[in-house]
Amino acid sequence: GKKYTLPAWVSGENPYPRPDPMASCPQATLHCRKTKLAVVHRAARAKMAAELHSRSGKLIGLSNSNRTAQRNQPVQEFNHGLVLSREPLRDRDVFTVRIDKKVNSWSGSIEIGVTALDPAGLEFPSSATGLKGGSWIVSGCSVLKDGRSVLEEYGRDLDQLGEGDHVGIQRNGKGELHLWVNGQDCGTAASGLPSRLWAVVDLYGKCTQVTVVSCEPPPEMDGEEDEEVEDEIVSGGVAGLGVAGGGMTTNDALLFHEKCGTLIKLSNNNKTAERRRPLDEFNNGVVMTNRPLRNNEMFEIHIDKLVDKWSGSIEIGVTTHNPNNLDYPATMTNLRSGTIMMSGCGILTNGKGTRREYCEFSLDELQEGDHIGLMRKVSGALHFYINGIDQGVAANQTPGVVYGVVDLYGMAVKVTIIHNHNHSDRLRRNNAIMRALSPDVGRPRPALSLTPEPDVPERLLFHLNCGQKAAIISDGRTALRPHATDDFNHGVVLSNRPLHSNEVFQVRIDKMVDKWAGSIEIGVTTHNPAYLQLPSTMTNLRSGTWMMTGNGVMHNGTTILDEYGHNLDRLKAGDTVGVVRKEDGSLHFFVNGVPQGPAAWNVPPSVYAVVDLYGQAAQATIMDDMADLPPLPDDSSEGPTAMSPGSPCSVSGATAANDLRFHQLHGTNAVITNGGRTALRQNCRSEFNDAIVISNRCLRDGELFEIVIQKMVDRWSGSIEAGVTAIRPEELEFPNTMTDIDYDTWMLSGTAIMQDGNTMRNNYGCDLDSLTTGSRIGMMRKATGDLHYFINGLDQGVACTGLPPEVYAVIDLYGQCVQVSITSSSGPLDNSLCTSNITEKSFPIHSPVAGVAHHLHSKHGKNVVLLGDGCQALRVDGYAHGIVFSAKELKTNEVFEVKINKVDDRWSGSLHVGLTTLQPPDLPSCPLSGLSPSLTQLRSKVTWVLAGSEVRRNGVLQRQNYGCSLDRLTVGNRVGVKRCSDDTMHILIDGEDMGPAATAVAKNVYAVLDLYGKVTAVSIVSSTLVEDSESVKAPSLSPDSCREGEEDSTPCENEPALVPTVMTFLENHGKNIQLSNQNLTAARVSSYNQGLLVTAQALPRQQLFQFQIDRLNSSWTSSLSLGVIGHSPDRLNFPSTACCLKRSVWLLQRDSVFHNSLKICENYGPNLDTCPEGTILGLLVDSSGCLHLFVNGMDQGIAAQDIPSPCYPLIDLYGQCEQVTIVTNHVSVVGGERGDMRCQGDMEKADMVDGIKESVCWTPPPEVNPNKTCEYQALCSRFKELLALPDGYFNEDAKYNLCYCESCHKLRGDEAYYKRGEPPRDYALPFGWCRFALRIKTHCEVSNAFKKWHIAYHGTSVGSLRCILDHNQLLSAESSSIFSLSPVKTEDHGSYGEPEENSAPEREIPRVQLSPTMRYSGLEVFAPKVQFRDPRSLRCHQAQVGFQVCVRPGSYKVGPTSLGISEPLDPRFSNAEIEWITKEKGGTLLYGLLIRVE
């Protein structure tokens, strides 16, 4: 062959390539070149070309010998990141870069391509798509030539690549452009490229750093033979897939495999799959992908068609089975290996359910047009996506090689693979075309000198370049859509110049059409209108644009603030909107001159104002007279930033509070909605934790973060936990509960203040576990570093101190608490307009009653002015602070009525009306500090209010859809309120009574109105009767008028006798109930539930309703519950249990109180599940509407308040309780004495309190209920019978025997500790034991011992009982046998031993251990256990015995335990004082035998 000479461009003499001199050589010469010089040739090329050019985009920094490029300010800037190769590419060389770093602040990512422009003289545009003059750029999934799209859905989506991925660009020998991703060729992207091209890489959007890794041909392309083979593959493979079809696909594209289910038909180049005969067949519709899925690759489909014939729908997932070898099943869930499918809302692994509630979306509920996707992450985690929303991890450790699977099952008929996985990508590519048309788009422009004369600035007008459906008139001041009823978009207009800092751009809406949804949008953009190709709507732009749309804010088409301010979609013609960029770079919007707060930060200077006449907005005019606008109010409690009532205002003012939201990062089970203002725990009945939410920013000093509880479930224990943390949300790894965090965190859990997971203090001023729906919780860090909590606006005091300056608010939606929302103290109210009206003829009009006209009180809201001698009220400013009161309290059935005189349709909302116990004379003289902004927030006293159609009591919703909504009233309508004699509130509209709105309304109430929202003026039209003769109307039974009569216990002669209502059970009851005994007895005859009972008669106030538990069945758990229901039960549909009743029900269950199935009180009274047979339970509603529970005649206190009248007693025979009978000897309780029913605990507590002695001899009290039987007491009695002790030792009257089991001592209301003796000393009741009273002397000397002596306990063995009782003297532990003591002479059987005067001296009394608590004396070392068989049940038990004794003060020594026990045995007594030692004869008196059975 011919001698080969290296070309000069290889040796470095010339930087530009020349034609290869060996191009025409014979094949042998080519082989010689390939074998001898290919390596040298490639090495020379790589060394010369694998670098970046020194000239680059203005934000690029080069390092690593110009191999690494980094975009500076990556979080603040998204473009100006263009770099080019140092030298032109050579044919077949792949210029490859590695993605080093990405950020999530932007959309879009790396773009790569080639250009014919020499970088040495290039003026770099802001992005690669701005290159002209022969440039081909791959952006996302698109290929653009000179900025215009030439190919869609090409190859891999560059936006989906992650850090570490490699991407390269190549021009092959045929002049074709190829993209390489991670070493794989994506096929031909373009053809006909010139020979001299530089590689282009754009560090755009998310991509912030790349490194050049190589510039050489791929391994299989070392020579011409390989090139020819490669050319054959491309032409035969790619072209064969349909290059001429327009939408080019390659052998790398994700398609459906040709082998599929028997009923599947593929089309659209295998991108679309359809099930044949969809109305006849519902399965055999399985399709799989043509290749395995790559890591982090999205497999997404679009639902094209559904049929409404079958149940079930599409299923999607992955499988390890190769479609070439798979025998396709009828449905994919039939496969029992290597398959993970999402079906419905659950996950099936190998056909078996592994997660029943994977996400809140169900595939069976999706509609045509919805998207479903999946992705296997690098970590092996499998994620599913519904309409682009990540549903979280569905499975871990997914196999490395899996194929995508779709099962067109049931309703699902047709789907199409989506290669471009979200709409924003398409919009971003469209925007790339726009940027290409305007190379300077997005580049910060120098400030223009627009004011040649300082006093005459250039006027702000609309630019003449506007949307294709828009027009500019009135010399540039007005923009309109001339055909607004035909088109809803293409109405974008921009200002003619950039805005100056602090310059307000404001427009007035001139014209609206009601055909479309949506309305005006306003904002700013960096794009110059002279060069911008205007989009159909401004939110389509993906660079340099900030827009307020609806009540949210979008940046580059992505929502950054939701629920930001006033909803622009609700504005009307005449309203104004404005925008301003301040000097600090913050962006603010205005609605009707009211600032909505900061919407964005770091907005560059020299931005143009933008108005999008979208939807309803048809015409707008620039308002350039801003200097004449009235100043904005400084009071942060007005307008859209009204603070929560009773809550301290933020020191930062209104705008500072507007931006408080929940952070987008949160616990696994938490969901943030309502623009970041609402947080809820999903799957609340199956998940109780993993729902931590945190504020979006640090709390300022003195700033209140307050939330309101909106939803609770009665399924879990525990409830909401609240606090603060110094951990940034981005750095917080959200645990199961916030109290698991062991650093920089302070939480309130129940009543405990916890720091870093450890309890700092207990019994803080509030209990979060006791809060209910509607309760408000606030947190505030004071400037001193103290943390305060606020409950319903009331400061609970300092919780902890020493907090760092920057803390975030934290809410843990734990247990019962399911949903909370940030209150109005942290955000704006909605002043949207209400358009519906009511005419006067809608209601009958009656004349007001004759008499003296009513007047309004001089104390009122700060925006109110009274006119006409107090008969008219006018709100002169704002929309709130319009509360007014009647001048005097309303009499019973007295109507207070006003007429609406004036409305202002700029505001939403309307008049509020109600009754309040707040006394206006007690308000401070200054109206600014005494009243809440609105009546619904007035909670300092009990207030009943109708707002719209909702009735609220102290802000808590009581009724919905009451009467006619007040929001519909207009000028001329009349509204009245009255309190009726049955303690109900009635609302009258135009004289028509709407019925009772609220019940249990207190006496001595004032009428109260709120001139809120659109109602600005009212006048009184009612009057009070002059003839209030006492002889005509009975005096009011107010507390003041009754107080004197209550002190006199003698009834009046003319007072009628109180005849109790005879109570029986209603025939309408649960299906398992059978009534008998003239409906006085009810029995549950089947199962354990369906046992609801209600009385046929309403329960009168002050009458005690009692019933007895007749029969219990220990086969079941739990027991009865009881309460009252506030509506007629005649047509009540009884559920299975009482806890399912949700309307006007107060229920006592176990030891808790429930209202409408929500727990409102715990640890109330005894546990009803422990009540034995024979227990008498009672219910009473007192004159104040308070519900009381009685147990065996003992009042357990107030269980609930505001019980309506009438109400009906309710009993649920549940579980163990099978039969009850109404007690017919009715007791009317009006506060009389019940001193004859005092129990031991009551007497012991009264005998000696603070050292005061009783002056009467004490005798053991009678038992509360002599007829009561206790199974535990009966068991102890049977054991006592087995001991064969003489009856003469015991008191004959069994009523003095007391059982201290949990049920009995709770029924009596015993306290755990009492005082006895002189001086008084504590002792504990022997809970868990049963006492049998011993016979004692009755003369005064002995009985005085019971008052003056102390109470103690002595544990002993069963074998010592008889000896102790025989000698009436305790034995020491060493003297456990009756033979170890000499007998002591006694007077007579059962009396206490006294030695005769001349008798011989006795042996020394042994040393005896005593204790003030049976927790010590009952230890097994003192009271050994013995085993016995119960003769009744034949079960084996263990028993212990001991004595309750009286011990003379001074006869014993107090000392530490002799057992060496270190752990405390009793919380009241320390181990150093728990053992008493006595050796003094006659120092103890036996009082009772104690028995405990296990």
Side-chain angles (χ1 to χ4, degrees):
K2 189 182 204 177
K3 182 178 179 181
Y4 177 78
T5 303
L6 239 101
W9 57 267
V10 175
S11 60
E13 298 176 3
N14 188 346
Y16 303 110
R18 295 194 308 227
D20 190 343
M22 302 299 295
S24 59
C25 289
Q27 184 66 30
T29 306
L30 290 177
H31 179 75
C32 176
R33 185 188 86 150
K34 184 171 72 172
T35 57
K36 292 185 178 182
L37 298 175
V39 175
V40 177
H41 198 168
R42 279 202 310 272
R45 289 178 177 178
K47 181 177 179 181
M48 295 173 58
E51 297 176 14
L52 298 171
H53 201 281
S54 58
R55 296 192 72 245
S56 57
K58 67 178 184 179
L59 292 181
I60 287 295
L62 298 178
S63 60
N64 187 22
S65 301
N66 286 358
R67 285 177 167 271
T68 298
Q70 179 177 0
R71 191 179 80 233
N72 298 321
Q73 304 176 15
V75 178
Q76 291 79 20
E77 299 290 343
F78 58 89
N79 53 11
H80 292 289
L82 202 59
V83 291
L84 278 76
S85 60
R86 184 171 67 87
E87 297 177 353
L89 289 179
R90 294 166 176 81
D91 289 347
R92 302 182 303 277
D93 280 359
V94 180
F95 185 85
T96 305
V97 298
R98 180 186 65 237
I99 301 175
D100 296 332
K101 291 183 181 178
K102 297 186 72 174
V103 297
N104 292 322
S105 304
W106 312 101
S107 61
S109 188
I110 189 173
E111 298 175 343
I112 192 169
V114 293
T115 181
L117 301 175
D118 189 341
L122 177 64
E123 182 178 354
F124 281 78
S126 61
S127 65
T129 51
L131 291 169
K132 304 291 195 304
S135 301
W136 290 261
I137 304 297
V138 181
S139 174
C141 295
S142 303
V143 181
L144 296 92
K145 177 183 179 182
D146 291 342
R148 296 188 177 275
S149 177
V150 295
L151 181 60
E152 289 284 342
E153 298 189 3
Y154 165 75
R156 293 285 299 275
D157 186 354
L158 299 186
D159 295 349
Q160 301 292 332
L161 299 183
E163 295 178 357
D165 284 332
H166 290 204
V167 58
I169 201 73
Q170 176 200 41
R171 179 195 182 279
N172 67 11
K174 292 186 175 183
E176 295 173 337
L177 182 70
H178 284 245
L179 175 71
W180 292 75
V181 177
N182 292 325
Q184 295 186 352
D185 185 5
C186 295
T188 302
S191 59
L193 274 66
S195 59
R196 192 166 182 263
L197 296 169
W198 280 262
V200 179
V201 179
D202 190 357
L203 278 66
Y204 181 81
K206 295 180 179 180
C207 181
T208 64
Q209 180 176 313
V210 299
T211 296
V212 182
V213 293
S214 66
C215 183
E216 58 185 7
E220 66 273 19
M221 296 175 57
D222 289 341
E224 294 294 337
E225 293 180 8
D226 297 58
E227 182 180 336
E228 292 173 3
V229 174
E230 187 261 348
D231 291 342
E232 292 175 3
I233 294 174
V234 172
S235 60
V238 177
L241 289 173
V243 174
M248 178 178 290
T249 60
T250 75
N251 55 358
D252 186 69
L254 200 60
L255 305 172
F256 288 127
H257 198 280
E258 293 182 352
K259 184 179 180 183
C260 50
T262 57
L263 291 180
I264 287 294
K265 176 182 70 174
L266 298 179
S267 60
N268 189 21
N269 293 326
N270 289 3
K271 288 194 297 183
T272 299
E274 183 175 3
R275 192 179 81 238
R276 299 185 180 94
R277 308 203 318 265
L279 298 179
D280 301 325
E281 301 287 343
F282 60 87
N283 54 10
N284 288 304
V286 176
V287 286
M288 294 172 61
T289 57
N290 61 332
R291 61 167 173 80
L293 302 180
R294 302 187 180 99
N295 290 337
N296 296 328
E297 181 180 20
M298 174 73 79
F299 172 56
E300 190 174 28
I301 59 171
H302 174 278
I303 300 178
D304 299 329
K305 184 178 179 181
L306 299 171
V307 294
D308 193 20
K309 179 176 182 179
W310 313 102
S311 62
S313 188
I314 191 169
E315 298 174 350
I316 186 171
V318 295
T319 182
T320 58
H321 295 276
N322 190 315
N324 291 306
N325 307 323
L326 179 65
D327 186 9
Y328 278 77
T331 175
M332 203 63 191
T333 54
N334 288 349
L335 277 185
R336 290 297 181 264
S337 63
T339 303
I340 304 173
M341 300 292 293
M342 181 176 177
S343 175
C345 60
I347 301 298
L348 300 175
T349 302
N350 300 331
K352 296 181 179 180
T354 53
R355 293 190 64 177
R356 295 295 181 187
E357 295 184 4
Y358 162 63
C359 70
E360 58 184 341
F361 295 98
S362 173
L363 301 187
D364 298 344
E365 298 174 356
L366 297 184
Q367 304 297 318
E368 293 178 359
D370 285 332
H371 294 191
I372 318 168
L374 61 85
M375 179 186 296
R376 182 197 181 277
K377 303 279 188 176
V378 177
S379 62
L382 181 65
H383 290 240
F384 288 90
Y385 297 79
I386 307 296
N387 291 322
I389 301 175
D390 190 348
Q391 303 301 304
V393 178
N396 292 302
Q397 300 177 351
T398 308
V401 179
V402 290
Y403 293 80
V405 185
V406 177
D407 191 347
L408 295 178
Y409 181 81
M411 296 188 292
V413 174
K414 184 179 182 181
V415 297
T416 296
I417 294 178
I418 301 171
H419 288 137
N420 187 17
H421 299 295
N422 55 63
H423 184 60
S424 63
D425 287 341
R426 288 193 177 95
L427 295 177
R428 189 186 58 74
R429 289 200 305 277
N430 292 338
N431 184 49
I433 299 172
M434 298 175 192
R435 292 202 314 271
L437 298 176
S438 178
D440 294 331
V441 164
R443 178 183 300 176
R445 307 177 67 86
L448 301 178
S449 176
L450 300 177
T451 57
E453 297 180 11
D455 297 333
V456 186
E458 181 182 352
R459 189 176 186 183
L460 265 177
L461 301 172
F462 288 121
H463 197 281
L464 294 179
N465 182 24
C466 57
Q468 58 182 278
K469 302 294 183 180
I472 306 299
I473 60 175
S474 301
D475 297 326
R477 287 194 61 198
T478 299
L480 75 156
R481 288 199 340 266
H483 306 288
T485 57
D486 299 330
D487 298 287
F488 61 88
N489 54 6
H490 289 289
V492 175
V493 289
L494 280 74
S495 62
N496 63 332
R497 63 167 173 84
L499 299 179
H500 304 305
S501 294
N502 297 326
E503 181 181 20
V504 178
F505 175 81
Q506 184 173 236
V507 299
R508 182 192 65 214
I509 303 175
D510 300 331
K511 184 179 179 182
M512 305 278 289
V513 295
D514 57 3
K515 180 177 181 179
W516 314 106
S519 187
I520 192 170
E521 299 174 354
I522 188 170
V524 296
T525 183
T526 58
H527 297 271
N528 189 325
Y531 307 107
L532 178 63
Q533 181 176 339
L534 295 168
S536 60
T537 176
M538 202 63 189
T539 53
N540 284 357
L541 277 185
R542 289 299 181 267
S543 64
T545 304
W546 292 260
M547 298 293 294
M548 181 176 178
T549 168
N551 58 348
V553 178
M554 301 184 75
H555 175 42
N556 298 338
T558 302
T559 300
I560 58 174
L561 278 180
D562 205 349
E563 300 291 337
Y564 159 70
H566 193 105
N567 194 332
L568 301 187
D569 296 344
R570 299 183 179 181
L571 297 182
K572 304 299 180 184
D575 288 329
T576 62
V577 291
V579 64
V580 60
R581 179 201 175 272
K582 296 193 175 181
E583 286 182 339
D584 60 0
S586 62
L587 189 69
H588 296 247
F589 291 95
F590 296 81
V591 177
N592 289 323
V594 178
Q596 306 297 298
W601 290 264
N602 300 321
V603 177
S606 302
V607 290
Y608 293 80
V610 185
V611 173
D612 192 346
L613 297 175
Y614 181 82
Q616 297 180 0
Q619 180 174 314
T621 297
I622 296 176
M623 307 283 290
D624 56 2
D625 53 350
M626 287 296 296
D628 299 331
L629 291 178
L632 299 175
D634 295 329
D635 184 6
S636 64
S637 65
E638 287 190 36
T641 57
M643 305 301 286
S644 181
S647 304
C649 297
S650 168
V651 296
S652 304
T655 55
N658 283 351
D659 59 341
L660 267 178
R661 301 288 192 273
F662 290 120
H663 200 279
Q664 60 183 357
L665 300 177
H666 48 73
T668 305
N669 291 327
V671 176
I672 306 298
T673 63
N674 190 23
R677 300 181 67 89
T678 298
L680 59 94
R681 189 178 78 241
Q682 58 184 345
N683 303 325
C684 60
R685 294 197 172 273
S686 58
E687 302 286 346
F688 63 88
N689 56 6
D690 280 322
I692 297 169
V693 291
I694 189 170
S695 63
N696 62 331
R697 62 166 174 81
C698 298
L699 299 183
R700 303 180 177 97
D701 289 345
E703 180 180 24
L704 180 72
F705 181 86
E706 187 182 52
I707 55 97
V708 59
I709 300 177
Q710 295 179 313
K711 183 179 179 182
M712 300 185 74
V713 294
D714 187 27
R715 180 177 178 84
W716 313 102
S717 61
S719 188
I720 188 172
E721 298 178 350
V724 295
T725 182
I727 310 172
R728 292 171 52 84
E730 296 82 2
E731 301 170 355
L732 178 61
E733 296 182 4
F734 287 85
N736 293 335
T737 64
M738 202 62 192
T739 51
D740 292 341
I741 296 290
D742 58 1
Y743 67 102
D744 294 342
T745 301
W746 296 261
M747 297 294 293
L748 174 60
S749 175
T751 62
I753 302 294
M754 305 185 72
Q755 179 179 356
D756 302 340
N758 299 316
T759 300
M760 297 172 55
R761 57 179 289 196
N762 281 308
N763 300 319
Y764 179 63
C766 60
D767 183 1
L768 297 190
D769 292 344
S770 65
L771 299 183
T772 58
T773 303
S775 299
R776 291 178 292 127
I777 311 166
M779 293 157 285
M780 178 187 293
R781 180 198 180 275
K782 298 292 185 75
T784 58
D786 298 342
L787 177 63
H788 288 240
Y789 286 90
F790 294 79
I791 302 298
N792 295 324
L794 299 179
D795 190 347
Q796 305 297 307
V798 177
C800 51
T801 59
L803 267 66
E806 294 187 354
V807 292
Y808 294 80
V810 181
I811 300 295
D812 192 345
L813 300 175
Y814 182 80
Q816 296 182 355
C817 184
V818 174
Q819 180 174 316
V820 300
S821 283
I822 300 175
T823 65
S824 58
S825 62
S826 302
L829 298 176
D830 187 5
N831 296 328
S832 56
L833 304 176
C834 185
T835 57
S836 56
N837 295 309
I838 293 180
T839 60
E840 287 191 14
K841 64 183 180 180
S842 301
F843 304 101
I845 299 178
H846 304 285
S847 300
V849 294
V852 179
H854 282 128
H855 293 271
L856 297 172
H857 202 279
S858 59
K859 303 289 182 64
H860 48 71
K862 67 178 183 179
N863 287 341
V864 170
V865 174
L866 299 184
L867 304 172
D869 195 22
C871 292
Q872 300 177 14
L874 175 67
R875 193 185 76 235
V876 295
D877 193 14
Y879 67 90
H881 289 283
I883 296 177
V884 293
F885 302 90
S886 59
K888 296 181 180 180
E889 293 179 0
L890 292 188
K891 299 179 176 64
T892 301
N893 294 321
E894 180 180 11
V895 177
F896 184 89
E897 189 176 31
V898 298
K899 182 177 72 173
I900 300 175
N901 294 336
K902 186 178 180 181
V903 297
D904 184 350
D905 286 330
R906 292 183 303 168
W907 306 108
S908 65
S910 185
L911 184 74
H912 301 162
V913 61
L915 300 172
T916 181
T917 57
L918 177 64
Q919 304 288 316
D922 296 339
L923 291 172
S925 299
C926 175
L928 299 180
S929 59
L931 285 175
S932 302
S934 68
L935 186 53
T936 55
Q937 300 170 345
L938 183 62
R939 299 169 190 171
S940 57
K941 296 289 184 179
V942 183
T943 302
W944 298 263
V945 59
L946 173 64
S949 60
E950 295 181 344
V951 180
R952 296 180 178 270
R953 179 185 184 274
N954 277 11
V956 179
L957 183 63
Q958 304 291 313
R959 289 191 61 178
Q960 289 181 310
N961 301 319
Y962 169 79
C964 176
S965 174
L966 300 185
D967 293 342
R968 300 176 61 193
L969 302 183
T970 186
V971 174
N973 288 128
R974 293 180 292 117
V975 181
V977 61
K978 69 175 179 178
R979 179 193 176 278
C980 296
S981 56
D982 59 354
D983 299 336
T984 59
M985 179 179 77
H986 288 237
I987 303 297
L988 296 88
I989 298 181
D990 288 328
E992 181 179 355
D993 192 337
M994 298 288 105
T999 59
V1001 177
K1003 302 174 178 64
N1004 310 101
V1005 291
Y1006 286 76
V1008 59
L1009 299 102
D1010 186 2
L1011 278 64
Y1012 182 81
K1014 67 179 182 180
V1015 175
T1016 60
V1018 298
S1019 59
I1020 295 177
V1021 296
S1022 60
S1023 59
T1024 180
L1025 295 175
V1026 182
E1027 300 83 4
D1028 278 339
S1029 172
E1030 297 296 333
S1031 60
V1032 176
K1033 187 163 60 174
S1036 174
L1037 295 177
S1038 66
D1040 293 335
S1041 62
C1042 293
R1043 189 170 298 139
E1044 185 175 351
E1046 289 174 356
E1047 294 174 358
D1048 185 4
S1049 61
T1050 305
C1052 301
E1053 293 182 4
N1054 298 329
E1055 182 180 351
L1058 181 61
V1059 179
T1061 302
V1062 177
M1063 308 293 286
T1064 58
F1065 289 126
L1066 183 68
E1067 291 286 353
N1068 183 25
H1069 47 66
K1071 67 178 184 180
N1072 288 336
I1073 289 294
Q1074 178 177 327
L1075 300 181
S1076 61
N1077 188 21
Q1078 298 179 340
N1079 289 357
L1080 295 176
T1081 298
R1084 193 184 74 242
V1085 295
S1086 178
S1087 187
Y1088 63 91
N1089 57 6
Q1090 298 285 355
L1092 277 174
L1093 290 163
V1094 183
T1095 60
Q1097 299 78 22
L1099 180 63
R1101 291 286 202 263
Q1102 297 295 103
Q1103 178 171 318
L1104 178 62
F1105 167 76
Q1106 294 189 111
F1107 63 91
Q1108 177 176 291
I1109 300 177
D1110 298 333
R1111 187 171 70 245
L1112 296 175
N1113 184 348
S1114 59
S1115 301
W1116 306 107
T1117 59
S1118 300
S1119 189
L1120 87 167
S1121 55
L1122 69 157
V1124 293
I1125 186 169
H1127 53 85
S1128 176
D1130 291 334
R1131 298 184 178 179
L1132 181 64
N1133 184 17
F1134 286 92
S1136 59
T1137 63
C1139 60
C1140 297
L1141 294 171
K1142 300 293 180 66
R1143 184 166 70 92
S1144 191
V1145 174
W1146 289 260
L1147 191 66
L1148 307 175
Q1149 191 174 46
R1150 297 183 295 277
D1151 60 350
S1152 302
V1153 184
F1154 296 79
H1155 176 44
N1156 295 341
S1157 79
L1158 296 178
K1159 187 182 295 184
I1160 61 176
C1161 178
E1162 285 187 313
N1163 299 319
Y1164 171 79
N1167 189 336
L1168 298 181
D1169 289 350
T1170 63
C1171 292
E1173 293 179 358
T1175 303
I1176 294 180
L1177 301 175
L1179 295 170
L1180 178 140
V1181 180
D1182 62 22
S1183 58
S1184 300
C1186 298
L1187 178 66
H1188 295 247
L1189 170 68
F1190 285 74
V1191 180
N1192 293 321
M1194 294 182 58
D1195 188 354
Q1196 305 298 311
I1198 295 176
Q1201 298 177 329
D1202 298 327
I1203 304 301
S1205 180
C1207 65
Y1208 298 79
L1210 167 75
I1211 304 172
D1212 187 1
L1213 299 186
Y1214 183 83
Q1216 294 183 354
C1217 185
E1218 291 189 336
Q1219 180 174 310
V1220 296
T1221 297
I1222 295 176
V1223 177
T1224 55
N1225 53 336
H1226 299 279
V1227 180
S1228 181
V1229 180
V1230 291
E1233 295 291 334
R1234 295 189 300 273
D1236 56 338
M1237 307 190 75
R1238 297 164 67 194
C1239 66
Q1240 179 195 17
D1242 298 326
M1243 182 59 72
E1244 290 174 342
K1245 185 163 53 176
D1247 289 340
M1248 180 62 70
V1249 179
D1250 296 332
I1252 301 176
K1253 297 183 293 183
E1254 266 199 6
S1255 59
V1256 296
C1257 283
W1258 178 86
T1259 56
E1263 191 181 354
V1264 172
N1265 180 17
N1267 298 321
K1268 180 178 70 69
T1269 59
C1270 172
E1271 181 57 35
Y1272 179 73
Q1273 187 178 23
L1275 178 61
C1276 293
S1277 297
R1278 292 195 292 272
F1279 173 72
K1280 173 178 164 288
E1281 296 296 329
L1282 294 177
L1283 298 177
L1285 298 173
D1287 292 338
Y1289 289 133
F1290 297 95
N1291 196 307
E1292 295 178 353
D1293 195 343
K1295 68 182 180 182
Y1296 297 122
N1297 300 334
L1298 284 180
C1299 178
Y1300 290 97
C1301 70
E1302 180 185 11
S1303 176
C1304 291
H1305 81 73
K1306 282 190 174 182
L1307 288 175
R1308 292 192 300 268
D1310 294 341
E1311 296 185 15
Y1313 302 95
Y1314 292 97
K1315 291 182 181 294
R1316 171 72 64 188
E1318 187 178 317
R1321 183 177 284 274
D1322 288 343
Y1323 72 97
L1325 290 189
F1327 289 164
W1329 296 73
C1330 189
R1331 189 195 72 195
F1332 297 91
L1334 295 172
R1335 187 190 299 255
I1336 60 174
K1337 285 188 176 182
T1338 57
H1339 57 76
C1340 202
E1341 178 186 355
V1342 175
S1343 61
N1344 281 337
F1346 286 94
K1347 300 187 304 140
K1348 297 179 181 179
W1349 289 20
H1350 298 146
I1351 295 292
Y1353 302 96
H1354 175 76
T1356 187
S1357 64
V1358 172
S1360 302
L1361 283 181
R1362 182 61 184 268
C1363 180
I1364 292 174
L1365 291 173
D1366 286 344
H1367 298 88
N1368 226 339
Q1369 180 176 311
L1370 297 176
L1371 302 179
S1372 67
E1374 295 83 5
S1375 306
S1376 59
S1377 171
I1378 59 174
F1379 303 107
S1380 61
L1381 282 178
S1382 300
V1384 178
K1385 296 181 180 180
T1386 57
E1387 288 183 5
D1388 51 30
H1389 186 68
S1391 63
Y1392 289 89
E1394 296 178 0
E1396 296 181 0
E1397 186 177 346
N1398 298 321
S1399 63
E1402 298 291 341
R1403 181 182 300 181
E1404 183 182 1
I1405 299 298
R1407 187 171 172 270
V1408 175
Q1409 286 101 342
L1410 302 170
S1411 178
T1413 172
M1414 276 303 286
R1415 295 189 181 184
Y1416 182 70
S1417 293
L1419 293 176
E1420 195 168 356
V1421 66
F1422 300 121
K1425 295 180 180 179
V1426 296
Q1427 186 169 343
F1428 76 100
R1429 182 184 296 274
D1430 180 16
R1432 178 177 175 181
S1433 65
L1434 301 181
R1435 295 176 57 186
C1436 290
H1437 300 272
Q1438 288 186 327
Q1440 293 174 280
V1441 294
F1443 286 97
Q1444 187 177 31
V1445 300
C1446 294
V1447 56
R1448 186 172 62 240
S1451 66
Y1452 60 91
K1453 292 183 180 180
V1454 177
T1457 171
S1458 59
L1459 304 179
I1461 299 175
S1462 59
E1463 296 182 0
L1465 297 172
D1466 193 300
R1468 180 64 67 91
F1469 307 103
S1470 71
N1471 285 7
E1473 299 178 343
I1474 203 168
E1475 185 174 285
W1476 299 355
I1477 303 297
T1478 180
K1479 299 174 67 176
E1480 185 173 330
K1481 183 181 179 181
T1484 57
L1485 296 175
L1486 299 181
Y1487 173 48
L1489 171 66
L1490 297 175
I1491 294 177
R1492 179 168 66 183
V1493 175
E1494 296 178 356

